[in-house]
Amino acid sequence: MSKFTSLSDTQAAISTGKITCLALVEHYLERIEATRHLNIYIEVYEAEARQRAKELDEKFAQDPASVGGLFGAVISLKDVICYAKHEVTAGSKILKGFKSLFSATAVERLLAEDAIIIGRVNCDEFAMGSTNETSCYGPTRNAADPTKVPGGSSGASAVSVQAGTCLASIGSDTGGSVRQPAAFCGVVGFKPTYGRISRHGLLAYASSFDQIGILANNPKDAALLLEVMAGPDEFDATCSKRPVEAYSEFNFDKPAKIAYFETALNHPGMDEGVKKLTFDFIEKLKKAGHSVEPVAFDYLDFIIPAYYVLTTAEASSNLSRYDGIRFGHRTVGAKDIHEVYKKSRTEGFGTEVKRRIMLGTFVLSAGYYDAYFAKAQQVRRLILERTEEVLQNVNFILMPASPTPAWNIGEMADDPVAMYLADIFTVQANMVGMPAIALPIGQHSCGLPVGVQLMAGKFQEAELLSFAAGLENE
Ligand code: GLN
């Protein structure tokens, strides 16, 4: 069976009788088996996916008009998204064995439109990392070159799409976790505006940054999935009440005005090959009639420090719930309650998560709060104001998705700060709560995929996705 790279192709093949949902699921299960060495899936819902496919085939046979908009969409879920009665562990020993009692709102909406969930995929522990190596299940490998990381934290989500084991994957993006792995793996990664998709049922890392995001083969599929998952939700007070637009209708066809930050493209950390591909892409945009101009942005080097102060602070608070009492792992033989907390957390969390909890606790502590946390909040505000100012004159801001192509497995292990610094281009969208998309733009001379990123103003996802879809035809 050939690879189905879009939902519309898949649905056309089902409607014309070329395949059934069940055959499609069998195809993906075979792909999952054939790519076991990449360590993508933590759990595959084989029997369930087959059963659901059979039921959907019957529903379709009885009345083709009765099936939902995501009929034929086979989807993987990052291990931070709750699915009722299924395990969810955030790639962490501390949650091993924990089954969710409810489904994330986003998952419920996917299921209501007849999507099939095929399995749970690996990720960095509590979504903290850029390589997928902090997972307690071991690293996932990049399908373009298994000696390389897939990026992170939604690394396995990206590879699940890259390796053709599903149509799309639902990930999460706190500082680039959907867009950077998409770029490393040559797929599309989309993070909506903060509050566009409910966070109910998404295990929290840093709540004022976290958003559910989509990894797909093309912007159209991302738009279709967004349409289904977006919208108000009484279980998430930060979820926007704005009506959901028809994101997949794609009616942005005017020449776009695009800005890029000179400080970003000429940043000393930029790999020459990535830089060249990015400038080639800019030329292509200009030839197609779009305007692409450099603008000043003086805050680039403040983004990472502010992000790591704020997110670790929020994480230290969010992760305090994993105490050995309420969820997951509990140490054995502790003498008192403090020892239960201490030992359960010491045994359950990995190194990177511990580092962040300690850093976050430190920046929130009395005496340091004003110097770090309050200061970082001020920086966040300045970055928001400047970003909004730039977007008053242009439709989009263009940025690399990552300063380099995918690293070797193990390359970042001993240098967390180098790993943090590599998030320089993706965290801005989360700092300011704006939507952003990573798109593949070509192959580096080393053979690995390279992506570019486009960011738009808040709730401009229709414009952003439409423009991104149009680029595929140029
Ligand atoms: N790499 C970033 C971090 O480790 C982003 C992670 C994410 O978006 N979840 O914080």
Side-chain angles (χ1 to χ4, degrees), residues 431-445:
M431 291 282 264
V432 300
M434 291 175 184
I437 191 163
L439 302 165
I441 50 167
Q443 213 182 34
H444 193 271
S445 54

Side-chain angles (χ1 to χ4, degrees), residues 2-163:
S2 63
K3 189 175 162 186
F4 286 100
T5 52
S6 75
L7 182 58
S8 55
D9 283 358
T10 312
Q11 289 178 337
I14 299 177
S15 310
T16 53
K18 281 204 194 100
I19 48 158
T20 60
C21 256
L22 184 60
L24 193 63
V25 164
E26 294 298 349
H27 161 74
Y28 286 129
L29 290 174
E30 276 166 30
R31 286 298 304 150
I32 291 173
E33 269 319 302
T35 53
R36 282 282 179 203
H37 61 290
L38 301 175
N39 195 24
I40 308 170
Y41 284 79
I42 300 169
E43 208 182 338
V44 184
Y45 309 139
E46 288 151 27
E48 262 174 60
R50 282 192 180 111
Q51 181 58 31
R52 192 164 157 81
K54 270 188 215 155
E55 286 164 13
L56 289 170
D57 281 333
E58 278 161 27
K59 189 172 165 185
F60 184 75
Q62 270 164 20
D63 177 9
S66 69
V67 295
L70 297 183
F71 177 61
V74 177
I75 289 168
S76 71
L77 291 183
K78 181 179 180 180
D79 187 28
V80 291
I81 295 171
C82 295
Y83 183 16
K85 303 193 191 112
H86 293 76
E87 223 178 286
V88 59
T89 67
S92 180
K93 272 201 304 213
I94 207 155
L95 273 174
K96 269 201 177 162
F98 173 72
K99 282 195 177 159
S100 182
L101 297 173
F102 59 88
S103 290
T105 301
V107 171
E108 277 184 359
R109 292 180 182 173
L110 294 174
L111 293 172
E113 287 298 325
D114 289 339
I116 297 175
I117 311 286
I118 196 150
R120 175 165 65 101
V121 293
N122 204 2
C123 61
D124 279 299
E125 186 175 5
F126 282 100
M128 297 174 187
S130 309
T131 62
N132 215 131
E133 293 170 299
T134 70
S135 164
C136 74
Y137 305 101
T140 295
R141 293 168 184 275
N142 194 315
D145 176 350
T147 66
K148 306 286 177 185
V149 299
S153 63
S154 314
S157 285
V159 186
S160 71
V161 177
Q162 176 194 29

Side-chain angles (χ1 to χ4, degrees), residues 105-253:
T105 301
V107 171
E108 277 184 359
R109 292 180 182 173
L110 294 174
L111 293 172
E113 287 298 325
D114 289 339
I116 297 175
I117 311 286
I118 196 150
R120 175 165 65 101
V121 293
N122 204 2
C123 61
D124 279 299
E125 186 175 5
F126 282 100
M128 297 174 187
S130 309
T131 62
N132 215 131
E133 293 170 299
T134 70
S135 164
C136 74
Y137 305 101
T140 295
R141 293 168 184 275
N142 194 315
D145 176 350
T147 66
K148 306 286 177 185
V149 299
S153 63
S154 314
S157 285
V159 186
S160 71
V161 177
Q162 176 194 29
T165 69
C166 55
L167 181 82
S169 186
I170 307 304
S172 67
D173 191 314
T174 304
S177 271
V178 158
R179 291 159 286 144
Q180 181 258 25
F184 276 12
C185 296
V187 300
V188 169
F190 177 69
K191 179 199 91 74
T193 306
Y194 181 78
R196 185 66 297 191
I197 297 179
S198 166
R199 288 180 298 112
H200 175 65
L202 167 66
L203 300 195
Y205 159 15
S207 310
S208 77
F209 293 73
D210 297 341
Q211 257 301 282
I212 284 181
I214 301 158
L215 293 114
N217 290 303
N218 54 63
K220 175 97 189 230
D221 285 356
L224 288 164
L225 289 165
L226 178 68
E227 262 167 40
V228 169
M229 291 189 288
D233 179 22
E234 58 171 331
F235 294 117
D236 175 4
T238 64
C239 194
S240 169
K241 294 196 167 51
R242 269 175 100 102
V244 175
E245 293 167 57
Y247 301 115
S248 59
E249 275 180 12
F250 295 161
N251 39 26
F252 181 87
D253 54 7

Side-chain angles (χ1 to χ4, degrees), residues 397-414:
I397 296 173
L398 179 149
M399 211 123 57
S402 163
T404 67
W407 307 296
N408 293 322
I409 293 203
E411 193 176 332
M412 287 289 175
D414 300 325

Side-chain angles (χ1 to χ4, degrees), residues 394-474:
V394 298
N395 303 102
F396 311 113
I397 296 173
L398 179 149
M399 211 123 57
S402 163
T404 67
W407 307 296
N408 293 322
I409 293 203
E411 193 176 332
M412 287 289 175
D414 300 325
D415 195 350
V417 176
M419 187 179 79
Y420 300 166
L421 288 172
D423 292 335
I424 181 161
F425 302 130
T426 47
V427 299
Q428 183 178 359
N430 307 75
M431 291 282 264
V432 300
M434 291 175 184
I437 191 163
L439 302 165
I441 50 167
Q443 213 182 34
H444 193 271
S445 54
C446 68
L448 291 168
V450 169
V452 76
Q453 183 186 202
L454 291 166
M455 183 165 79
K458 284 186 187 169
F459 297 103
Q460 300 302 309
E461 17 281 282
E463 200 169 271
L464 182 60
L465 286 160
S466 176
F467 180 71
L471 292 176
E472 294 203 312
N473 312 320
E474 276 169 8

